[in-house]
Amino acid sequence: MAPKKLKVACAGLGRMGARHALHFLNRTPRAELVAAFTPDEAEVQWAKHHLEPNGVTIYADYDEMLKHPGLQAVVIATVTTVHAEQAIKAMEANKHVLCEKPLSTSVEVSQSVVDVAKRYPHLKVMCGFSRRFDASYRDAFQRMDSGAIGRASVFRSQTCDKLDPSGFFVEYAKYSGGIFVDCNIHDIDLALWFFGQDSIVKSVAAVGITAVQPQLRKYKDVDNGVGIVEFWGGKIAYFYSSRMMAAGQHDMTEIIGTEGKLTVNANPQGTLVDMYESTGIRREIPQHYYGRFEQAFVTEANEFTAACLDDTKVPLKLTGAVQAVKIGCALQEALNEGTKINFDETGRRLETARL
């Protein structure tokens, strides 16, 4: 008898959705990609070439896709503004859900996904924070957790994209929630992981500039941002995001403890090749986010599949996705308002009197 496979559908076949689809099709042995949804004609043509020949049914209607015979799980990789709505519809259709980050650019809408998930405890619902599945980050966490650097006190993390001269991110800013919600959401999630999911924010502050894409200002966004988050209990997180790197993608993290520190990807490299040239020695680095975290996405797909089939816990709590969005939104507000936002020891926001 053939081993049971999880029947999966992928919603959205854009930049990340196509990759998710191929991961479940070719690199997740316990899963079977049976359906995909996209309203975009260019994505439909891609799917007809890459997915349909492998038995995948292509849908132009999300609700119809949810009715696909035998479907058990949905991967949501559509535009951020519909993540929550589609996740809720999938749960109400009795499907497991793996949703790309963030659940929403709104704290309240993100929380609504968590609230609905509570009504379906038998379903596995996970927000895809890919760095949690990266081998190097897992190694660093285990070393910190074992006491290798004493008490972790300062967390510095960055997401720095290679400059895209096409202006894609300018129009994308209409939907992304801003650079802290879009880019630094991964770093924020990492801080909550390393400091503890029960960490309570004491204050947030942020600054930013539009160094190369001044058009971002019309959407109240920047192409370089720095955010500082202070946690109750004496811990600080420093986040940097950028969309203008010249060499390629550079996402790195530093965890500083009372007895040492750990770094992840401080000196990025695409391969182990160093080029010795007349001008010196150089190495190339990944050109985009996927180039750095490809294997993490594959691991994510396999671990989500295993949790669904074996009825085990998913690797991260859904409530953490709401915490991350809450911090990201507060940083974006602090950036745009030019003010520091404070919270009490229960996490309740303290309103500052305005003169």
Side-chain angles (χ1 to χ4, degrees):
M1 183 176 177
K4 183 180 178 182
K5 289 193 173 187
L6 183 73
K7 294 186 181 299
V8 179
C10 186
L13 296 173
R15 192 173 43 155
M16 277 312 306
R19 290 163 176 162
H20 281 298
L22 292 176
H23 293 163
F24 279 93
L25 180 67
N26 300 318
R27 303 173 73 177
T28 311
R30 299 183 69 190
E32 179 185 359
L33 185 71
V34 296
F37 154 75
T38 177
D40 184 89
E41 183 56 33
E43 293 176 12
V44 169
Q45 293 307 313
W46 178 89
K48 285 182 177 296
H49 180 71
H50 293 90
L51 304 182
E52 206 169 55
N54 293 285
V56 180
T57 304
I58 312 303
Y59 292 88
D61 184 291
Y62 179 76
D63 294 339
E64 288 301 311
M65 184 198 72
L66 291 178
K67 299 175 186 176
H68 186 89
L71 181 65
Q72 296 169 287
V74 178
V75 181
I76 297 172
T78 44
V79 64
T80 302
T81 49
V82 298
H83 281 182
E85 175 190 352
Q86 292 181 344
I88 289 171
K89 281 186 174 182
M91 286 185 280
E92 291 175 340
N94 200 38
K95 314 301 180 191
H96 304 292
V97 176
L98 169 57
C99 183
E100 257 295 343
K101 63 79 188 169
L103 293 177
S104 169
T105 57
S106 158
V107 176
E108 292 74 21
V109 175
S110 297
Q111 183 61 46
S112 72
V113 178
V114 176
D115 294 340
V116 173
K118 290 177 181 177
R119 305 206 310 257
Y120 301 92
H122 64 290
L123 294 178
K124 309 302 176 184
V125 184
M126 186 173 85
C127 187
F129 286 106
S130 51
R131 293 185 203 180
R132 295 236 191 175
F133 299 89
D134 178 70
S136 295
Y137 276 106
R138 287 182 166 183
D139 184 13
F141 179 83
Q142 289 168 1
R143 292 174 187 274
M144 180 207 71
D145 199 44
S146 69
I149 60 170
R151 186 179 70 257
S153 303
V154 178
F155 185 90
R156 190 176 75 84
S157 197
Q158 69 180 45
T159 297
C160 295
D161 296 343
K162 185 175 181 178
L163 175 65
D164 179 355
S166 72
F168 167 81
F169 283 109
V170 174
E171 293 309 307
Y172 180 63
K174 285 191 291 188
Y175 316 104
S176 71
I179 200 164
F180 291 112
V181 176
D182 181 46
C183 284
N184 280 137
I185 198 78
H186 284 292
D187 306 288
I188 294 166
D189 176 66
L190 286 173
L192 291 170
W193 182 26
F194 278 78
F195 279 166
Q197 208 70 55
D198 57 349
S199 299
I200 298 175
V201 174
K202 184 176 182 180
S203 70
V204 303
V207 294
I209 58 172
T210 50
V212 293
Q213 295 171 325
Q215 309 96 308
L216 283 167
R217 295 171 191 160
K218 65 183 177 183
Y219 299 122
K220 295 185 177 181
D221 204 9
V222 296
D223 51 35
N224 284 265
V226 173
I228 303 291
V229 178
E230 181 185 11
F231 293 93
W232 287 97
K235 296 177 181 179
I236 295 175
Y238 170 108
F239 304 121
Y240 171 47
S241 51
S242 176
R243 298 200 189 278
M244 69 171 196
M245 293 294 102
Q249 190 80 19
H250 189 192
D251 304 329
M252 65 86 67
T253 300
E254 185 177 35
I255 309 102
I256 303 169
T258 54
E259 298 173 21
K261 77 172 182 178
L262 299 164
T263 65
V264 179
N265 202 40
N267 298 296
Q269 57 188 62
T271 69
L272 297 179
V273 175
D274 290 330
M275 286 159 278
Y276 291 72
E277 301 169 333
S278 60
T279 54
I281 305 170
R282 68 181 179 91
R283 66 162 61 110
E284 294 180 347
I285 69 175
Q287 294 300 290
H288 43 68
Y289 187 86
Y290 184 71
R292 165 64 180 90
F293 291 105
E294 177 180 355
Q295 187 55 48
F297 283 109
V298 174
T299 300
E300 175 186 77
N302 280 271
E303 292 190 8
F304 172 74
T305 298
C308 294
L309 290 175
D310 302 335
D311 193 22
T312 55
K313 289 184 178 180
V314 291
L316 56 158
K317 292 182 178 179
L318 192 62
T319 52
V322 180
Q323 287 176 279
V325 170
K326 183 177 181 181
I327 293 172
C329 287
L331 284 167
Q332 202 71 27
E333 181 182 347
L335 168 70
N336 289 318
E337 297 296 327
T339 186
K340 183 178 181 180
I341 302 174
N342 298 294
F343 301 83
D344 67 17
E345 293 184 51
T346 68
R348 184 175 62 86
R349 180 168 171 161
L350 298 175
E351 296 299 332
T352 303
R354 296 184 180 227
L355 298 178

